[in-house]
Amino acid sequence: MTLPEHRALVLEQALRRGSSWPVVLSTTGGRYITKLRGAGQGTAALVSEWTVAGLADRIGLRVPRRALIRIDAGLERRDR
């Protein structure tokens, strides 16, 4: 399965919920709630979520749209 890849333009908001602290990003493909690989449980948890979402999608369950998001070091932040 090939997923779209987008570049983050602006970090709109850090949600600060749970241990993963997802962020809302404006990207070249629209707005996404994005979990970061260095947070909470790390990369293994993200791979697990990615896998489960893919399986759920294949059996016809509704899942949020998924994409790879590239985040540059100098990303503009509006959440301060």
Side-chain angles (χ1 to χ4, degrees):
M1 170 184 229
T2 303
L3 293 175
E5 187 172 320
H6 305 295
R7 187 174 59 83
L9 302 171
V10 177
L11 189 153
E12 299 286 345
Q13 179 183 9
L15 297 176
R16 295 181 178 88
R17 294 183 190 135
S19 60
S20 63
W21 280 34
V23 295
V24 178
L25 295 171
S26 291
T27 76
T28 54
R31 291 182 72 188
Y32 283 87
I33 295 176
T34 306
K35 290 188 174 183
L36 306 173
R37 72 172 179 219
Q41 297 82 14
T43 306
L46 292 177
V47 171
S48 296
E49 288 185 30
W50 192 281
T51 302
V52 170
L55 292 171
D57 189 38
R58 285 200 170 226
I59 63 170
L61 298 175
R62 290 179 48 191
V63 295
R65 66 187 165 130
R66 296 176 318 276
L68 292 172
I69 309 294
R70 300 284 176 201
I71 302 173
D72 296 329
L75 182 67
E76 177 186 350
R77 295 185 63 170
R78 293 185 184 157
D79 71 325
R80 297 173 199 234

Coordinates of all heavy atoms in Angstrom, one line a residue:
M1 N 0.8 -1.2 0.0 CA 0.0 0.0 0.0 C 0.9 1.2 0.0 O 1.8 1.4 0.8 CB -0.9 0.0 1.2 CG -1.6 1.3 1.5 SD -2.5 1.2 3.0 CE -4.1 1.8 2.4
T2 N 0.7 2.1 -0.9 CA 1.4 3.3 -1.0 C 0.6 4.5 -0.5 O -0.6 4.7 -0.9 CB 1.8 3.6 -2.5 OG1 2.6 2.5 -3.0 CG2 2.6 4.9 -2.6
L3 N 1.1 5.2 0.5 CA 0.4 6.3 1.1 C 0.9 7.6 0.5 O 2.1 7.7 0.2 CB 0.5 6.3 2.6 CG -0.2 5.1 3.3 CD1 0.1 5.1 4.7 CD2 -1.7 5.1 3.0
P4 N 0.1 8.7 0.5 CA 0.6 10.0 0.1 C 1.6 10.5 1.0 O 1.6 10.2 2.2 CB -0.7 10.8 0.0 CG -1.7 10.1 0.8 CD -1.3 8.7 0.8
E5 N 2.5 11.3 0.5 CA 3.5 12.0 1.3 C 3.4 13.5 1.2 O 3.3 14.0 0.1 CB 4.9 11.5 0.9 CG 6.0 12.0 1.8 CD 7.3 11.3 1.4 OE1 7.3 10.1 1.1 OE2 8.3 12.0 1.5
H6 N 3.4 14.2 2.3 CA 3.2 15.6 2.3 C 4.3 16.3 3.2 O 4.9 15.6 4.0 CB 1.9 16.0 2.9 CG 0.7 15.4 2.2 ND1 0.4 15.6 0.9 CD2 -0.2 14.5 2.7 CE1 -0.7 14.9 0.6 NE2 -1.1 14.2 1.6
R7 N 4.6 17.5 2.9 CA 5.5 18.3 3.7 C 4.8 19.2 4.7 O 3.8 19.9 4.3 CB 6.4 19.1 2.8 CG 7.6 19.8 3.5 CD 8.5 20.5 2.5 NE 7.8 21.5 1.7 CZ 7.6 22.8 2.1 NH1 8.0 23.2 3.3 NH2 7.0 23.6 1.3
A8 N 5.2 19.2 5.9 CA 4.6 20.1 6.9 C 4.9 21.5 6.6 O 6.1 21.8 6.3 CB 5.0 19.7 8.3
L9 N 3.9 22.4 6.7 CA 4.2 23.8 6.5 C 4.2 24.6 7.8 O 5.0 25.5 8.0 CB 3.1 24.4 5.6 CG 3.0 23.7 4.2 CD1 1.7 24.2 3.5 CD2 4.2 23.9 3.4
V10 N 3.2 24.3 8.7 CA 3.1 25.0 10.0 C 2.6 24.0 11.0 O 1.7 23.3 10.8 CB 2.1 26.2 9.8 CG1 1.9 26.9 11.2 CG2 2.5 27.2 8.8
L11 N 3.2 24.1 12.2 CA 2.7 23.4 13.4 C 1.6 24.3 14.0 O 1.9 25.3 14.5 CB 3.8 23.1 14.4 CG 3.4 22.1 15.5 CD1 4.6 21.4 16.0 CD2 2.7 22.8 16.6
E12 N 0.3 23.9 13.9 CA -0.8 24.8 14.4 C -1.0 24.7 15.9 O -1.2 25.6 16.5 CB -2.1 24.4 13.6 CG -2.0 24.6 12.1 CD -2.1 26.0 11.7 OE1 -2.4 26.9 12.6 OE2 -1.8 26.3 10.5
Q13 N -0.9 23.4 16.4 CA -1.2 23.2 17.8 C -0.7 21.9 18.3 O -0.8 20.9 17.6 CB -2.8 23.2 17.9 CG -3.3 23.0 19.3 CD -4.8 22.9 19.4 OE1 -5.5 22.9 18.3 NE2 -5.3 22.9 20.6
A14 N -0.1 21.9 19.5 CA 0.3 20.6 20.1 C -0.9 20.2 21.0 O -1.4 21.1 21.8 CB 1.5 20.8 21.0
L15 N -1.4 19.0 20.9 CA -2.6 18.6 21.6 C -2.4 18.2 23.0 O -3.3 18.2 23.9 CB -3.3 17.5 20.8 CG -3.8 17.9 19.4 CD1 -4.4 16.8 18.7 CD2 -4.8 19.1 19.5
R16 N -1.2 17.8 23.3 CA -0.7 17.5 24.7 C -1.8 16.6 25.4 O -2.2 16.9 26.5 CB -0.5 18.7 25.5 CG 0.7 19.5 25.0 CD 1.0 20.8 25.8 NE 2.1 21.5 25.3 CZ 2.1 22.4 24.3 NH1 1.0 22.7 23.8 NH2 3.2 23.0 23.9
R17 N -2.1 15.5 24.7 CA -3.0 14.5 25.3 C -2.4 13.2 25.3 O -1.8 12.8 24.3 CB -4.3 14.4 24.5 CG -5.1 15.7 24.6 CD -6.4 15.5 23.8 NE -7.0 16.9 23.8 CZ -7.6 17.4 22.7 NH1 -7.6 16.7 21.6 NH2 -8.1 18.6 22.7
G18 N -2.4 12.4 26.4 CA -1.8 11.1 26.4 C -0.3 11.2 26.4 O 0.3 12.3 26.6
S19 N 0.4 10.1 26.2 CA 1.8 10.2 26.2 C 2.4 10.5 24.8 O 3.6 10.7 24.7 CB 2.3 8.8 26.7 OG 1.9 7.8 25.8
S20 N 1.6 10.5 23.8 CA 2.2 10.7 22.4 C 2.2 12.2 22.0 O 2.9 12.5 21.1 CB 1.5 9.9 21.4 OG 0.1 10.3 21.3
W21 N 1.4 13.0 22.6 CA 1.4 14.4 22.3 C 1.3 14.7 20.8 O 2.2 15.3 20.2 CB 2.6 15.2 22.9 CG 2.5 15.5 24.3 CD1 1.9 14.8 25.3 CD2 3.1 16.6 25.0 NE1 2.1 15.4 26.5 CE2 2.8 16.5 26.3 CE3 3.8 17.7 24.5 CZ2 3.2 17.5 27.3 CZ3 4.2 18.7 25.5 CH2 3.9 18.5 26.8
P22 N 0.2 14.3 20.2 CA 0.0 14.5 18.8 C 0.0 16.0 18.5 O -0.3 16.8 19.4 CB -1.3 13.9 18.4 CG -2.0 13.7 19.7 CD -1.0 13.6 20.8
V23 N 0.2 16.4 17.2 CA 0.2 17.8 16.8 C -0.7 18.0 15.6 O -0.9 17.0 14.8 CB 1.6 18.4 16.5 CG1 2.5 18.4 17.7 CG2 2.3 17.5 15.4
V24 N -1.3 19.2 15.5 CA -2.0 19.5 14.3 C -1.1 20.3 13.4 O -0.5 21.3 13.7 CB -3.3 20.4 14.7 CG1 -4.0 20.7 13.4 CG2 -4.2 19.7 15.7
L25 N -1.0 19.7 12.1 CA -0.1 20.3 11.2 C -0.8 20.8 9.9 O -1.7 20.0 9.5 CB 1.0 19.3 10.7 CG 2.0 18.8 11.7 CD1 2.8 17.7 11.2 CD2 2.9 20.0 12.2
S26 N -0.5 21.9 9.4 CA -0.9 22.3 8.1 C 0.2 21.8 7.1 O 1.3 22.0 7.4 CB -1.0 23.8 7.9 OG -2.1 24.3 8.7
T27 N -0.3 21.0 6.1 CA 0.7 20.4 5.2 C 0.4 20.7 3.7 O -0.7 21.4 3.5 CB 0.7 18.9 5.3 OG1 -0.5 18.3 4.7 CG2 0.7 18.4 6.8
T28 N 1.2 20.3 2.8 CA 0.9 20.5 1.4 C -0.3 19.7 1.0 O -0.8 19.9 -0.1 CB 2.2 20.1 0.6 OG1 2.5 18.7 0.9 CG2 3.3 21.0 0.8
G29 N -0.8 18.8 1.8 CA -2.0 18.0 1.5 C -3.2 18.3 2.4 O -4.1 17.5 2.4
G30 N -3.1 19.4 3.1 CA -4.2 19.7 4.0 C -3.8 19.6 5.5 O -2.6 19.5 5.8
R31 N -4.8 19.6 6.4 CA -4.5 19.5 7.8 C -4.5 18.1 8.3 O -5.4 17.3 7.9 CB -5.5 20.4 8.6 CG -5.3 21.9 8.4 CD -6.3 22.7 9.2 NE -5.8 22.6 10.6 CZ -6.5 23.0 11.6 NH1 -7.7 23.6 11.4 NH2 -6.1 22.9 12.8
Y32 N -3.6 17.8 9.2 CA -3.5 16.4 9.7 C -3.2 16.5 11.2 O -2.4 17.4 11.6 CB -2.3 15.6 9.1 CG -2.6 15.1 7.7 CD1 -2.4 15.9 6.6 CD2 -3.1 13.8 7.5 CE1 -2.6 15.4 5.3 CE2 -3.3 13.3 6.3 CZ -3.1 14.1 5.2 OH -3.3 13.6 3.9
I33 N -3.7 15.6 12.0 CA -3.3 15.3 13.3 C -2.2 14.3 13.2 O -2.4 13.2 12.6 CB -4.4 14.8 14.2 CG1 -5.5 15.9 14.4 CG2 -3.9 14.4 15.6 CD1 -6.7 15.5 15.1
T34 N -1.0 14.6 13.7 CA 0.2 13.7 13.4 C 0.8 13.3 14.8 O 1.0 14.2 15.6 CB 1.2 14.5 12.6 OG1 0.5 15.0 11.4 CG2 2.4 13.7 12.2
K35 N 1.1 12.1 14.9 CA 1.9 11.6 16.0 C 3.3 11.6 15.6 O 3.7 11.3 14.5 CB 1.4 10.2 16.4 CG 0.1 10.2 17.1 CD -0.2 8.8 17.6 CE -1.5 8.9 18.4 NZ -1.8 7.6 19.0
L36 N 4.2 11.9 16.6 CA 5.6 12.1 16.3 C 6.4 10.8 16.7 O 6.1 10.3 17.8 CB 6.2 13.3 16.9 CG 5.4 14.6 16.6 CD1 5.9 15.8 17.4 CD2 5.5 14.9 15.1
R37 N 7.4 10.4 16.0 CA 8.0 9.1 16.3 C 8.9 9.2 17.6 O 9.2 8.2 18.2 CB 8.8 8.6 15.2 CG 10.1 9.4 14.9 CD 10.9 8.8 13.8 NE 12.1 9.6 13.6 CZ 12.6 9.8 12.4 NH1 12.1 9.2 11.4 NH2 13.6 10.5 12.3
G38 N 9.3 10.4 18.0 CA 10.2 10.5 19.2 C 9.4 10.6 20.5 O 10.0 10.8 21.5
A39 N 8.1 10.6 20.4 CA 7.3 10.9 21.6 C 6.7 9.5 22.2 O 6.7 8.5 21.5 CB 6.1 11.7 21.2
G40 N 6.3 9.6 23.4 CA 5.6 8.5 24.1 C 6.3 7.2 24.0 O 7.4 7.0 24.4
Q41 N 5.6 6.3 23.3 CA 6.1 4.9 23.2 C 7.1 4.7 22.0 O 7.6 3.6 21.8 CB 4.9 3.9 23.0 CG 4.0 3.9 24.1 CD 3.0 5.1 24.1 OE1 2.8 5.8 23.1 NE2 2.3 5.3 25.2
G42 N 7.4 5.7 21.2 CA 8.4 5.6 20.2 C 7.9 5.0 18.9 O 6.7 4.9 18.6
T43 N 8.8 4.6 18.1 CA 8.5 4.2 16.7 C 7.7 2.9 16.7 O 6.8 2.8 15.8 CB 9.8 4.0 15.9 OG1 10.6 5.2 16.0 CG2 9.6 3.7 14.5
A44 N 7.9 2.0 17.6 CA 7.2 0.7 17.5 C 5.7 0.9 17.7 O 4.9 0.2 17.0 CB 7.7 -0.2 18.7
A45 N 5.3 1.8 18.5 CA 3.9 2.1 18.7 C 3.3 2.7 17.4 O 2.1 2.3 17.0 CB 3.6 3.0 19.9
L46 N 4.0 3.5 16.7 CA 3.5 4.1 15.5 C 3.4 3.1 14.4 O 2.4 3.0 13.7 CB 4.4 5.2 15.0 CG 4.5 6.5 15.9 CD1 5.5 7.5 15.3 CD2 3.1 7.1 16.0
V47 N 4.3 2.2 14.3 CA 4.2 1.1 13.4 C 3.0 0.2 13.6 O 2.3 -0.2 12.7 CB 5.5 0.2 13.3 CG1 5.4 -1.0 12.5 CG2 6.7 1.1 12.8
S48 N 2.8 -0.1 14.9 CA 1.6 -0.9 15.3 C 0.3 -0.2 14.9 O -0.6 -0.8 14.3 CB 1.6 -1.1 16.8 OG 2.7 -1.9 17.2
E49 N 0.2 1.1 15.2 CA -1.0 1.8 14.8 C -1.2 1.9 13.3 O -2.3 1.7 12.8 CB -0.9 3.2 15.4 CG -1.1 3.3 16.9 CD -1.2 4.7 17.4 OE1 -1.6 5.6 16.7 OE2 -0.8 4.9 18.5
W50 N -0.1 2.1 12.6 CA -0.1 2.1 11.1 C -0.6 0.8 10.6 O -1.5 0.7 9.7 CB 1.3 2.4 10.6 CG 1.4 2.7 9.2 CD1 1.4 1.8 8.1 CD2 1.6 4.0 8.7 NE1 1.5 2.5 7.0 CE2 1.7 3.9 7.3 CE3 1.7 5.3 9.2 CZ2 1.8 5.0 6.4 CZ3 1.9 6.3 8.4 CH2 1.9 6.2 7.0
T51 N -0.1 -0.3 11.1 CA -0.5 -1.7 10.7 C -2.0 -2.0 11.0 O -2.7 -2.4 10.1 CB 0.4 -2.7 11.4 OG1 1.7 -2.5 11.1 CG2 0.0 -4.1 11.0
V52 N -2.4 -1.6 12.2 CA -3.8 -1.9 12.5 C -4.8 -1.0 11.7 O -5.8 -1.5 11.2 CB -4.0 -1.6 14.0 CG1 -5.5 -1.6 14.4 CG2 -3.3 -2.7 14.9
A53 N -4.4 0.2 11.4 CA -5.2 1.1 10.6 C -5.3 0.5 9.2 O -6.4 0.5 8.5 CB -4.7 2.5 10.5
G54 N -4.2 0.0 8.6 CA -4.2 -0.6 7.3 C -5.1 -1.8 7.3 O -5.9 -2.0 6.3
L55 N -5.1 -2.7 8.3 CA -5.9 -3.9 8.4 C -7.4 -3.5 8.5 O -8.3 -4.0 7.8 CB -5.5 -4.7 9.5 CG -4.2 -5.4 9.4 CD1 -3.8 -6.1 10.8 CD2 -4.2 -6.5 8.3
A56 N -7.7 -2.5 9.3 CA -9.1 -2.0 9.5 C -9.6 -1.5 8.1 O -10.8 -1.7 7.8 CB -9.1 -0.9 10.5
D57 N -8.8 -0.7 7.4 CA -9.2 -0.2 6.1 C -9.5 -1.3 5.1 O -10.5 -1.3 4.4 CB -8.0 0.7 5.6 CG -8.4 1.5 4.4 OD1 -9.6 2.0 4.3 OD2 -7.6 1.7 3.5
R58 N -8.7 -2.3 5.1 CA -8.9 -3.4 4.2 C -10.1 -4.2 4.5 O -10.7 -4.8 3.5 CB -7.7 -4.4 4.3 CG -6.5 -3.8 3.6 CD -5.5 -4.9 3.2 NE -4.5 -4.4 2.4 CZ -4.1 -4.9 1.3 NH1 -4.6 -6.1 0.9 NH2 -3.2 -4.4 0.5
I59 N -10.6 -4.3 5.7 CA -11.8 -5.0 6.0 C -13.1 -4.1 5.9 O -14.2 -4.5 6.3 CB -11.8 -5.8 7.3 CG1 -11.6 -4.9 8.5 CG2 -10.7 -6.9 7.2 CD1 -11.8 -5.6 9.8
G60 N -12.8 -2.8 5.6 CA -14.0 -1.9 5.3 C -14.3 -1.0 6.5 O -15.4 -0.4 6.4
L61 N -13.6 -1.0 7.5 CA -13.9 -0.1 8.7 C -13.4 1.3 8.3 O -12.4 1.5 7.6 CB -13.2 -0.6 9.9 CG -13.6 -2.0 10.4 CD1 -12.7 -2.3 11.6 CD2 -15.1 -2.0 10.8
R62 N -14.1 2.3 8.9 CA -13.7 3.7 8.6 C -12.5 4.0 9.5 O -12.5 3.8 10.7 CB -14.9 4.6 9.0 CG -16.0 4.5 8.0 CD -17.1 5.4 8.4 NE -16.7 6.7 8.6 CZ -17.4 7.7 9.2 NH1 -18.6 7.4 9.5 NH2 -16.9 8.9 9.4
V63 N -11.5 4.6 8.9 CA -10.3 5.0 9.5 C -9.9 6.4 9.0 O -10.3 6.8 7.9 CB -9.1 4.1 9.4 CG1 -9.4 2.7 10.0 CG2 -8.7 3.9 7.9
P64 N -9.2 7.2 9.8 CA -8.8 8.5 9.3 C -7.9 8.4 8.1 O -7.2 7.4 8.0 CB -8.1 9.1 10.5 CG -8.5 8.4 11.7 CD -8.9 7.0 11.2
R65 N -7.8 9.4 7.2 CA -6.9 9.3 6.1 C -5.5 9.3 6.7 O -5.2 10.0 7.7 CB -7.2 10.4 5.1 CG -6.9 11.8 5.6 CD -7.3 12.8 4.6 NE -7.3 14.1 5.4 CZ -6.7 15.2 4.9 NH1 -6.1 15.2 3.8 NH2 -6.8 16.3 5.7
R66 N -4.6 8.5 6.0 CA -3.3 8.4 6.5 C -2.3 8.9 5.5 O -2.6 8.8 4.3 CB -3.0 6.9 6.8 CG -3.8 6.4 8.0 CD -3.6 4.9 8.2 NE -3.5 4.0 7.1 CZ -4.6 3.5 6.4 NH1 -5.8 3.8 6.8 NH2 -4.4 2.7 5.4
A67 N -1.2 9.4 5.9 CA -0.1 9.9 5.0 C 1.2 10.0 5.8 O 1.2 10.1 7.0 CB -0.5 11.3 4.5
L68 N 2.3 10.0 5.0 CA 3.6 10.3 5.6 C 3.8 11.8 5.6 O 3.5 12.4 4.6 CB 4.7 9.6 4.8 CG 4.7 8.1 4.8 CD1 5.7 7.6 3.8 CD2 5.0 7.6 6.2
I69 N 4.2 12.3 6.7 CA 4.4 13.8 6.8 C 5.8 14.0 7.1 O 6.4 13.5 8.1 CB 3.5 14.4 7.9 CG1 2.0 14.0 7.8 CG2 3.7 15.9 8.0 CD1 1.3 14.5 6.6
R70 N 6.5 14.8 6.2 CA 7.9 15.2 6.4 C 7.9 16.5 7.1 O 7.2 17.5 6.7 CB 8.6 15.4 5.0 CG 8.6 14.1 4.2 CD 9.6 13.2 4.7 NE 9.5 11.9 4.0 CZ 10.0 10.8 4.4 NH1 10.6 10.7 5.6 NH2 9.9 9.7 3.7
I71 N 8.7 16.6 8.2 CA 8.8 17.8 9.0 C 10.2 18.3 9.0 O 11.1 17.5 9.5 CB 8.3 17.5 10.5 CG1 6.8 17.0 10.5 CG2 8.4 18.7 11.4 CD1 6.3 16.5 11.8
D72 N 10.4 19.5 8.5 CA 11.7 20.1 8.5 C 12.1 20.7 9.9 O 11.2 21.1 10.7 CB 11.8 21.2 7.5 CG 11.6 20.6 6.1 OD1 12.0 19.5 5.8 OD2 11.1 21.4 5.2
A73 N 13.3 20.8 10.2 CA 13.8 21.3 11.5 C 13.3 22.7 11.8 O 13.0 23.1 12.9 CB 15.3 21.2 11.6
G74 N 13.2 23.5 10.8 CA 12.8 24.9 10.9 C 11.4 25.2 10.8 O 11.0 26.3 10.5
L75 N 10.5 24.2 11.1 CA 9.1 24.3 10.9 C 8.5 25.5 11.7 O 8.8 25.6 12.9 CB 8.4 23.0 11.3 CG 6.9 23.0 11.2 CD1 6.5 23.0 9.7 CD2 6.3 21.7 11.8
E76 N 7.7 26.3 11.1 CA 7.0 27.4 11.8 C 6.0 26.9 12.8 O 5.3 25.9 12.5 CB 6.3 28.3 10.8 CG 5.5 29.4 11.4 CD 4.6 30.2 10.5 OE1 4.7 30.0 9.2 OE2 3.8 31.0 11.0
R77 N 6.0 27.5 14.0 CA 5.1 27.0 15.1 C 4.2 28.2 15.5 O 4.6 29.3 15.7 CB 5.9 26.6 16.3 CG 6.8 25.4 16.1 CD 7.5 25.0 17.3 NE 6.5 24.6 18.3 CZ 6.8 24.0 19.4 NH1 8.0 23.7 19.7 NH2 5.8 23.6 20.3
R78 N 2.9 27.8 15.6 CA 1.9 28.8 16.0 C 1.3 28.4 17.3 O 0.3 29.0 17.7 CB 0.8 29.0 14.9 CG 1.3 29.6 13.7 CD 0.2 29.8 12.7 NE 0.7 30.3 11.4 CZ 0.1 30.2 10.3 NH1 -1.1 29.6 10.2 NH2 0.7 30.6 9.2
D79 N 1.8 27.4 18.0 CA 1.2 26.9 19.2 C 1.7 27.5 20.5 O 1.4 27.1 21.6 CB 1.3 25.4 19.2 CG 2.7 25.0 19.5 OD1 3.7 25.7 19.0 OD2 2.9 23.9 20.2
R80 N 2.5 28.5 20.4 CA 3.1 29.0 21.7 C 2.2 29.9 22.5 O 1.3 30.5 22.2 CB 4.3 29.9 21.3 CG 5.3 28.9 20.6 CD 6.5 29.7 20.1 NE 7.1 28.9 19.1 CZ 8.4 28.6 19.1 NH1 9.2 29.1 20.0 NH2 8.9 27.8 18.2

